[in-house]
Amino acid sequence: MSIVPKETIEVIAQSIGINNLSDDAALSLAPDVEYRMREIMQEAIKCMRHSRRTILTTDDVDGALNLRNVEPVYGFTSGGPLQFKRAIGHRDLFYIDDSDVDLKDVIEAPLPKAPLDTGVVCHWLAIEGVQPAIPENAPVGAIAAPSNGTTYEQKEELPVDIKLPVKHVLSRELQLYFDKITELTLRKSDSTLFKEALVSLATDSGLHPLVPYFTYFISDEVSRGLNDYSLLFALMRVVWSLLQNPHIHIEPYLHQLMPSVVTCLVSKKLGNRIADNHWELRDFTAKLVASICKRFGHVYNTLQTRLTKTLLNALLDPKRALTQHYGAVQGLAALGPNVVRLLILPNLEPYLRLLEPELLLEKQKNEMKRYEAWRIYGVLLRAAGQSIFERLKNFPPLPSTPAHAIWKSKEKVVTEAPTLNNIHASR
Amino acid sequence: MENMQAVNSFVAAYLKKKGFKEAEQLLEDLQNKESAPIDFHNDPDLAKFIHHFSQSEDDVAQYQDGYSKLRSWTYSSLDLYKHELLRVLYPVFIHSFMDLVAKGHLQEARTFFNAFHEDHELMHSRDLQKLEGVLSQSHLEEMEFACSLRQNKVNIKICQYSYDLLLQYLHKTQSTAMLGVINEHINFQVTSVEPGSISDDTEVVTLIGSCQDAASLINQKEIHWGLLEDSLEERLEKEGGLLSDSEKTEAENKEGDVDDSKKRSVEGGKQGASTKKLKKDKAVNATAKSARPEAKPTPAAPRVKPELTLPVMSTEVEQSILEDLRNRVQLSSVALPSVSFYTFLNTHNGLNCSSISQDGSLVAGGFSDSSLKVWDMAKLGQQAGSSTLQGENDSTSSEHVAGPNGVKRSYTLFQGHSGPVYSATFSPLGDFILSSSADTTIRLWSTKLNANLVCYKGHNYPVWDVQFSPVGHYFASSSHDRTARIWSMDRIQPLRIMAGHLSDVDCVQWHANCNYIATGSSDRTVRLWDVQSGECVRIFIGHRSMILSLAMSPDGRYMASGDEDGTIMMWDLSSGRCVTPLMGHTSCVWSLAFSCEGTLLASGSADCTVKLWDVTTSTKAPKNEDKSGNPNRLRSLKTLATKSSPVYSLRFSRRNLLFAAGVLSKNV
């Protein structure tokens, strides 16, 4: 009946030396105890209000007891939170854990630092009704944001120097969309559904809020999934689709996307199985890179130069793997014939000299390596040819020269020409 | 008549059997007077039910059943009458509960309470908290609140049709327990008006009937809320030659008017109506005047003579005040004030109150460790240099070094109290401070000598609040002992004791003309007292929780009061009615202040905001329409959020700069 249980009364009675309190007495005392307690608390609330506080403290209870001419309860003013423990064997009986303290320890302990003395500082809360944006005032954004009232007090919790993180609100639908797309990318990148998803990514107009999430997702997955060929390919397709989408303003996120894209182009190893056609991925990525450069080259002047520098470094470093060289050549080639003419052609001869031992059967026993070298040889041929062809298009009446120009520089490997052509044809 | 007597005897017998002494007494009174507002006695149906009631077993379940039925009936009743019928539920609820307790069915009472108290939480949460603890008959007798509820009838204004509906229902369902409760404790004031017209009146339901009657009686007393004659502001106008001759004569005419009106009102036997009418005339006069393209503070208020002998001001002080008045910034809804905020640091949860002197140069803080500390802001500025943050480091470090010697503190420490200091107030000139404490004393300190001058003993319990009068010399205090007292600095005994509040007097405030003080109390009323006679002249009922802060408008016409829930109410002193409630704060309103020309109200709250309210719109509206209506009229102009600092005190300087003080607390 009363919120004070009978057991509590019994325990209190025992604590003051009454061992044989009858049940009836305890039962009839309980309501009265509750009433007195409420009375004290009511007075304590008054004391709290007059101390200009909204949190009740033990001082207030002491103050209330004082008002009633009752001895205050000592020992609770230390300020630390009180640890109540459940008494073993009793359901609703709690006590405060009072650990024994050695007096010697207390005496020998160094004196705690004296608390800082009270001070007053002054600042302008408002000047002619406008709050100046100074550190002493609550941040303006924080005041404006929680307009719906209920969360109003929360902003006050922040300490002085921390800026509020801007909360990015995503609608539920967008969240679902994002989850679905990422799941498709990760698991079922060969399904038709994924193709449709790519189309949706490339055309839907409301996806802009998701762009940061996608960029993060892509860079994250690329760095983690370098062994997973199909995942990488799927990710690159997603990038491609995002780039296609006319409603997305992707420029601010390019700096996050580019590293992962370039990784897919010139990484030493993409995928962990021989069957993985990483050449295709590199070709695709090269096209992707080229399209990015074409689209945003005028916005970011340094984009193409930085990219070409990276690729050229990769190409000219003999220590790099052949796969990396392949990617670099492909990337440069995709950037257009001018780039090839300016950057590849001058380096063609020394590079071929480097490549030569790898191509020959007697010098390179590893078939895989040899295949890779031939692969590079093929793209080099193609890139150089393309470049020269573009150049010569301007001179229509000279039909026989281009072939000659190429063959002249490649005398040494002419014997292998059919193979090369085959490769070319196959692509 | 025979029938009736039979009924009476039945009832009397029943009441005697049940030990309802009060009710028995009431019945006797009723028989003697025969002046009940509704004639129960000639209603044969009713008699039958009462008969039935007296015979029936006092079945406890009847209460629970009856109430729940009544409740569902009320909720499903017609919308037009529903809100009127809903009003009946609360008194029925609490009295049913108390009946159950009184009969000793404690368990049932508790379940009854738990089942239905949620319906009334919104409106009456404070009362319910009190009642919840009542668990035995002795508690009922002991508890003042319960006693006053039991002894008095609840007055409910209700329209004829709703009343008929209710009676019909009670008859039809034979819910005698409910009928008994309603008969015993509710006094219906049946009016023949349309049901919608008495909807939003706060005084429709008043739990304590006699108190309400007394209040309405008291509120008919005449008060002179005008400003003092020959005040400095008035002198400034004359001196500055701001008034043209024609206006001067008009002003004189007006004063003549006032005198006339006073005479007339005296002749008219102090009728509230006549004064009200005159006020309206005056208001029209005032609005006509304010329509002129002049922006000076035209005091529309009539002038009154001081009832206290006022201290004489030195000419230098007078000059400086006049200078301030000339340089005053005009504030309005489009010209908001600048706010200077004093933040207390490192108080360790010990700051109980703060006070700012008239010119903002001194700030006092009362602490729970019995100390009073006063900061001189001018000195603080020198010490700290230009950057306040820098200053904070400087001052703390210097204190750290020089602290033990007590030589170089940033404040003056006043020690003398032996309990938490609950309030402090500066004299108008800033040369004295008064502080009140839980040790039941008030102490007067001199800021010039940095010493305690007088200790005023008179209260028997902690003194919650103390306030200097606007002219100095006199001060008022309020205490847990349920009294407010008026003191003068040169006497150690109080001059007047204002008794009448039913609970703690929590705050006190002087009227602009020093003839009245207002007190706010935990009994949720604000009272206005005549300083000269010590009588209560107004009772303002409407707050739902303890009143924490009061402010008087500079023209003396209005008063604002803020409570624990964050509600602020504007009161018209002459009518004793609430002009409009101001909703916006979410926690305790610790402080209120009117701007010097009375156009803005500033409120500081525990929700860490200072809000500025436009008062002109509200105060003009009732002048023109003479009707308090739309509560949206008083609008909040601006909310200034502080950085986790609950606002403890506010003060407009004479030049209309707003000073605010609060404590930086991390766990708000």
Side-chain angles (χ1 to χ4, degrees):
Chain A
M1 180 182 80
S2 158
I3 59 169
V4 180
K6 186 183 66 151
E7 289 78 15
T8 311
I9 305 294
E10 281 164 2
V11 169
I12 295 170
Q14 278 170 22
S15 73
I16 56 171
I18 304 168
N19 283 320
N20 52 349
L21 190 76
S22 70
D23 260 16
D24 286 348
L27 265 180
S28 52
L29 272 173
D32 202 56
V33 168
E34 184 189 341
Y35 180 77
R36 301 296 157 199
M37 246 163 56
R38 284 175 185 274
E39 219 172 36
I40 294 292
M41 292 329 276
Q42 194 181 312
E43 297 294 310
I45 287 170
K46 279 182 197 167
C47 289
M48 172 184 81
R49 291 300 180 210
H50 286 287
S51 301
R52 301 274 194 278
R53 270 186 277 109
T54 45
I55 298 167
L56 198 71
T57 65
T58 47
D59 291 339
D60 297 325
V61 181
D62 285 349
L65 290 170
N66 263 331
L67 286 181
R68 301 262 146 180
N69 276 332
V70 180
E71 186 105 341
V73 188
Y74 297 107
F76 292 93
T77 46
S78 60
L82 300 171
Q83 295 282 340
F84 283 91
K85 287 201 168 178
R86 188 188 293 261
I88 300 158
H90 293 270
R91 210 159 33 84
D92 299 322
L93 185 57
F94 295 89
Y95 66 97
I96 297 167
D97 194 22
D98 236 353
S99 58
D100 290 334
V101 180
D102 194 351
L103 200 59
K104 215 175 114 201
D105 292 349
V106 178
I107 292 168
E108 285 174 359
L111 282 177
K113 229 177 131 189
L116 292 175
D117 204 358
T118 310
V120 174
V121 292
C122 177
H123 74 269
W124 289 108
L125 182 65
I127 295 170
E128 291 180 352
V130 182
Q131 283 195 283
I134 49 175
E136 288 89 344
N137 280 336
V140 179
I143 304 164
S147 52
N148 43 5
T150 48
T151 56
Y152 202 66
E153 289 103 315
Q154 288 179 357
K155 70 174 201 310
E156 305 285 358
E157 291 170 7
L158 288 164
V160 180
D161 292 316
I162 294 175
K163 269 191 182 173
L164 272 178
V166 179
K167 207 175 173 191
H168 195 230
V169 184
L170 269 189
S171 71
R172 222 181 136 65
E173 290 80 4
L174 278 177
Q175 281 179 33
L176 272 176
Y177 182 87
F178 179 75
D179 290 345
K180 201 78 197 164
I181 294 273
T182 50
E183 196 202 321
L184 277 175
T185 316
L186 292 175
R187 314 241 184 288
K188 296 181 210 152
S189 55
D190 45 358
S191 63
T192 47
L193 200 60
F194 182 62
K195 290 207 180 84
E196 275 165 36
L198 288 178
V199 173
S200 151
L201 276 176
T203 50
D204 275 357
S205 55
L207 303 181
H208 192 71
L210 286 177
V211 173
Y213 296 91
F214 274 123
T215 32
Y216 179 76
F217 167 69
I218 288 162
S219 59
D220 196 39
E221 289 300 323
V222 165
S223 61
R224 274 197 293 153
L226 274 178
N227 290 330
D228 192 343
Y229 162 75
S230 57
L231 170 67
L232 288 175
F233 213 121
L235 286 169
M236 286 305 112
R237 278 174 207 262
V238 169
V239 176
W240 179 260
S241 298
L242 285 175
L243 281 169
Q244 294 314 105
N245 195 327
H247 308 288
I248 289 182
H249 185 68
I250 207 166
E251 283 140 66
Y253 306 100
L254 271 185
H255 69 279
Q256 280 178 306
L257 269 180
M258 279 315 276
S260 18
V261 173
V262 174
T263 304
C264 284
L265 185 59
V266 295
S267 179
K268 191 171 166 187
K269 207 161 167 239
L270 296 169
N272 54 357
R273 282 174 301 160
I274 301 168
D276 287 341
N277 191 357
H278 64 92
W279 311 105
E280 203 180 330
L281 174 58
R282 289 179 203 271
D283 293 351
F284 181 80
T285 317
K287 261 191 274 175
L288 188 61
V289 169
S291 80
I292 291 175
C293 280
K294 212 159 134 200
R295 239 179 94 184
F296 303 107
H298 61 283
V299 187
Y300 295 106
N301 295 322
T302 56
L303 181 66
Q304 189 158 344
T305 49
R306 274 163 61 191
L307 185 67
T308 49
K309 205 183 266 176
T310 318
L311 293 177
L312 201 61
N313 278 341
L315 179 62
L316 296 183
D317 189 346
K319 287 188 201 75
R320 300 282 176 100
L322 289 171
T323 44
Q324 285 176 292
H325 290 164
Y326 176 85
V329 175
Q330 248 332 4
L332 287 169
L335 287 174
N338 276 339
V339 176
V340 175
R341 184 167 55 81
L342 289 173
L343 297 173
I344 298 189
L345 292 188
N347 298 318
L348 200 58
E349 204 167 338
Y351 182 75
L352 279 175
R353 220 172 286 140
L354 202 81
L355 192 65
E356 198 188 338
E358 305 286 327
L359 289 166
L360 297 174
L361 186 65
E362 53 270 30
K363 297 215 172 150
Q364 178 54 271
K365 297 283 190 254
N366 188 337
E367 197 173 338
M368 196 68 210
K369 281 266 174 74
R370 213 167 60 238
Y371 175 69
E372 285 173 352
W374 278 107
R375 206 73 209 219
I376 297 174
Y377 187 66
V379 283
L380 271 175
L381 270 188
R382 194 169 106 91
Q386 194 77 24
S387 150
I388 303 287
F389 176 66
E390 289 290 322
R391 199 82 202 282
L392 291 181
K393 266 206 293 199
N394 301 333
F395 310 100
L398 300 169
S400 61
T401 31
H404 185 69
I406 296 173
W407 291 119
K408 208 166 139 188
S409 62
K410 313 256 170 12
E411 286 156 340
K412 286 177 185 168
V413 287
V414 153
T415 47
E416 303 286 342
T419 341
L420 279 180
N421 282 344
N422 283 348
I423 294 166
H424 249 263
S426 71
R427 295 178 58 228
Chain B
M1 278 315 267
E2 278 172 18
N3 186 13
M4 186 192 117
Q5 265 169 7
V7 169
N8 279 342
S9 59
F10 262 121
V11 172
Y14 171 75
L15 291 175
K16 196 160 271 171
K17 195 175 90 188
K18 294 292 164 200
F20 281 150
K21 282 184 191 138
E22 287 153 24
E24 205 182 349
Q25 193 65 42
L26 268 175
L27 188 77
E28 268 181 32
D29 287 351
L30 218 67
Q31 284 170 346
N32 295 340
K33 280 189 201 158
E34 290 286 343
S35 61
I38 308 141
D39 197 357
F40 295 108
H41 311 285
N42 295 331
D43 189 344
D45 276 344
L46 206 55
K48 198 174 84 199
F49 280 113
I50 293 171
H51 185 98
H52 177 71
F53 181 58
S54 66
Q55 285 181 333
S56 74
E57 287 281 286
D58 59 315
D59 187 9
V60 195
Q62 263 200 347
Y63 281 100
Q64 181 115 17
D65 256 22
Y67 182 76
S68 83
K69 271 186 200 149
L70 179 68
R71 178 170 164 269
S72 52
W73 173 77
T74 311
Y75 277 110
S76 59
S77 60
L78 288 172
D79 280 350
L80 191 58
Y81 308 103
K82 195 167 162 184
H83 62 268
E84 290 197 351
L85 296 171
L86 280 176
R87 279 183 215 133
V88 181
L89 281 186
Y90 178 64
V92 172
F93 171 70
I94 52 171
H95 282 291
S96 304
F97 172 68
M98 285 190 285
D99 280 355
L100 286 173
V101 172
K103 287 177 187 170
H105 305 289
L106 303 181
Q107 185 61 57
E108 289 84 355
R110 200 27 92 86
T111 40
F112 177 76
F113 190 86
N114 289 339
F116 299 110
H117 78 280
E118 271 165 23
D119 295 349
H120 312 288
E121 273 298 330
L122 189 68
M123 293 277 283
H124 308 279
S125 61
R126 294 292 183 303
D127 292 346
L128 291 177
Q129 273 169 16
K130 277 186 200 165
L131 282 178
E132 199 180 353
V134 175
L135 286 169
S136 74
Q137 291 96 319
S138 61
H139 292 162
L140 271 185
E141 283 155 25
E142 194 176 323
M143 192 177 185
E144 236 172 302
F145 176 67
C147 276
S148 69
L149 282 180
R150 298 297 270 182
Q151 279 164 7
N152 297 298
K153 278 196 166 192
V154 179
N155 282 320
I156 295 182
K157 277 187 205 162
I158 195 166
C159 78
Q160 184 65 50
Y161 188 74
S162 306
Y163 179 67
D164 289 348
L165 273 180
L166 182 67
L167 277 193
Q168 222 169 11
Y169 165 78
L170 290 173
H171 284 195
K172 216 163 26 190
T173 55
Q174 311 222 334
S175 49
T176 45
M178 289 303 109
L179 196 63
V181 169
I182 288 174
N183 279 343
E184 199 175 332
H185 298 293
I186 299 181
N187 188 14
F188 285 106
Q189 297 173 338
V190 182
T191 51
S192 53
V193 292
E194 287 295 303
S197 61
I198 42 174
S199 54
D200 291 329
D201 203 331
T202 48
E203 291 163 22
V204 172
V205 183
T206 45
L207 287 177
I208 302 165
S210 69
C211 172
Q212 176 57 29
D213 292 340
S216 55
L217 257 180
I218 285 170
N219 285 356
Q220 278 172 10
K221 284 184 193 167
E222 191 190 18
I223 63 163
H224 307 288
W225 47 267
L227 295 180
L228 286 181
E229 289 179 331
D230 198 32
S231 74
L232 276 172
E233 291 194 29
E234 201 181 30
R235 242 184 279 170
L236 175 72
E237 280 159 25
K238 284 177 185 161
E239 216 173 81
L242 285 170
L243 286 171
S244 65
D245 281 347
S246 63
E247 276 166 340
K248 236 182 221 169
T249 51
E250 196 186 319
E252 276 163 21
N253 282 345
K254 210 165 64 125
E255 283 197 5
D257 240 346
V258 174
D259 289 345
D260 272 358
S261 71
K262 272 184 200 161
K263 272 178 216 156
R264 255 188 289 167
S265 64
V266 169
E267 284 162 11
K270 296 189 179 177
Q271 288 287 312
S274 73
T275 44
K276 216 183 267 176
K277 190 166 162 284
L278 287 168
K279 297 265 161 59
K280 198 173 154 195
D281 289 348
K282 263 178 252 155
V284 170
N285 200 352
T287 44
K289 207 169 175 189
S290 65
R292 301 191 176 199
E294 252 173 315
K296 64 184 178 56
T298 318
R303 298 292 169 182
V304 295
K305 285 201 166 59
E307 289 176 23
L308 298 168
T309 37
L310 298 181
V312 186
M313 249 185 277
S314 74
T315 38
E316 294 149 43
V317 173
E318 216 166 87
Q319 284 307 317
S320 81
I321 294 177
L322 284 172
E323 183 65 30
D324 280 342
L325 293 181
R326 274 188 217 105
N327 289 324
R328 175 181 290 174
V329 183
Q330 292 296 320
L331 295 181
S332 67
S333 53
V334 287
L336 295 177
S338 296
V339 188
S340 176
F341 198 87
Y342 296 135
T343 313
F344 287 85
L345 304 168
N346 305 324
T347 56
H348 310 291
N349 258 338
L351 187 71
N352 285 350
C353 66
S354 77
S355 179
I356 304 164
S357 69
Q358 182 63 257
D359 57 357
S361 63
L362 296 175
V363 182
F367 289 81
S368 55
D369 62 0
S370 314
S371 66
L372 178 73
K373 297 172 183 172
V374 178
W375 282 264
D376 189 332
M377 298 319 281
K379 277 181 200 160
L380 193 79
Q382 282 164 13
Q383 223 176 53
S386 54
S387 155
T388 46
L389 278 179
Q390 185 67 38
E392 181 192 332
N393 293 335
D394 278 353
S395 60
T396 48
S397 62
S398 69
E399 279 162 29
H400 215 72
V401 175
N405 306 330
V407 184
K408 206 182 170 189
R409 277 204 202 88
S410 62
Y411 53 83
T412 324
L413 180 65
F414 293 106
Q415 276 176 318
H417 281 297
S418 58
V421 178
Y422 284 124
S423 173
T425 176
F426 280 97
S427 71
L429 302 178
D431 42 4
F432 298 109
I433 310 175
L434 280 166
S435 62
S436 72
S437 160
D439 64 7
T440 74
T441 63
I442 302 162
R443 281 175 188 267
L444 179 75
W445 313 82
S446 162
T447 53
K448 299 261 154 57
L449 306 169
N450 289 344
N452 187 202
L453 303 178
V454 193
C455 176
Y456 301 95
K457 293 173 183 165
H459 284 291
N460 305 320
Y461 277 105
V463 188
W464 296 134
D465 197 11
V466 62
Q467 287 293 330
F468 255 114
S469 78
V471 294
H473 190 70
Y474 299 99
F475 61 92
S477 64
S478 69
S479 163
H480 178 72
D481 65 13
R482 302 181 184 188
T483 63
R485 300 181 190 216
I486 306 278
W487 310 70
S488 73
M489 274 162 62
D490 54 358
R491 279 158 214 260
I492 56 162
Q493 292 297 325
L495 304 178
R496 295 284 181 278
I497 298 178
M498 275 78 171
H501 274 298
L502 303 175
S503 186
D504 299 34
V505 186
D506 294 301
C507 53
V508 64
Q509 189 66 54
W510 286 81
H511 189 265
N513 65 14
C514 297
N515 291 338
Y516 302 96
I517 61 162
T519 54
S521 162
S522 289
D523 67 9
R524 289 164 295 161
T525 61
V526 180
R527 283 174 187 244
L528 192 73
W529 309 82
D530 189 321
V531 167
Q532 192 52 249
S533 65
E535 275 175 23
C536 178
V537 288
R538 286 288 180 278
I539 299 179
F540 304 93
I541 299 168
H543 275 291
R544 292 203 185 127
S545 55
M546 169 179 174
I547 286 133
L548 295 168
S549 52
L550 289 167
M552 291 279 189
S553 76
D555 63 0
R557 183 188 266 261
Y558 297 100
M559 177 175 69
S561 57
D563 71 13
E564 220 179 347
D565 297 336
T567 312
I568 302 166
M569 287 198 165
M570 280 285 283
W571 305 93
D572 188 332
L573 290 188
S574 49
S575 67
R577 280 172 175 273
C578 176
V579 178
T580 158
L582 307 170
M583 307 298 211
H585 283 298
T586 53
S587 188
C588 310
V589 181
W590 295 135
S591 180
L592 290 166
F594 276 98
S595 72
C596 294
E597 68 276 73
T599 50
L600 293 181
L601 175 70
S603 59
S605 156
D607 62 12
C608 300
T609 56
V610 176
K611 277 183 194 285
L612 298 171
W613 309 85
D614 189 0
V615 184
T616 42
T617 42
S618 77
T619 50
K620 257 176 202 145
K623 277 184 200 166
N624 296 337
E625 299 162 31
D626 203 22
K627 188 183 174 186
S628 63
N630 193 354
N632 298 329
R633 205 170 271 137
L634 250 180
R635 59 200 173 96
S636 167
L637 288 174
K638 186 97 185 167
T639 301
L640 304 169
T642 66
K643 202 172 207 170
S644 50
S645 311
V647 183
Y648 281 15
S649 63
L650 291 166
R651 161 84 91 163
F652 273 100
S653 78
R654 283 195 198 91
R655 298 190 185 190
N656 264 342
L657 175 65
L658 179 59
F659 294 103
V663 61
L664 184 72
S665 60
K666 281 168 190 78
N667 49 2
V668 172

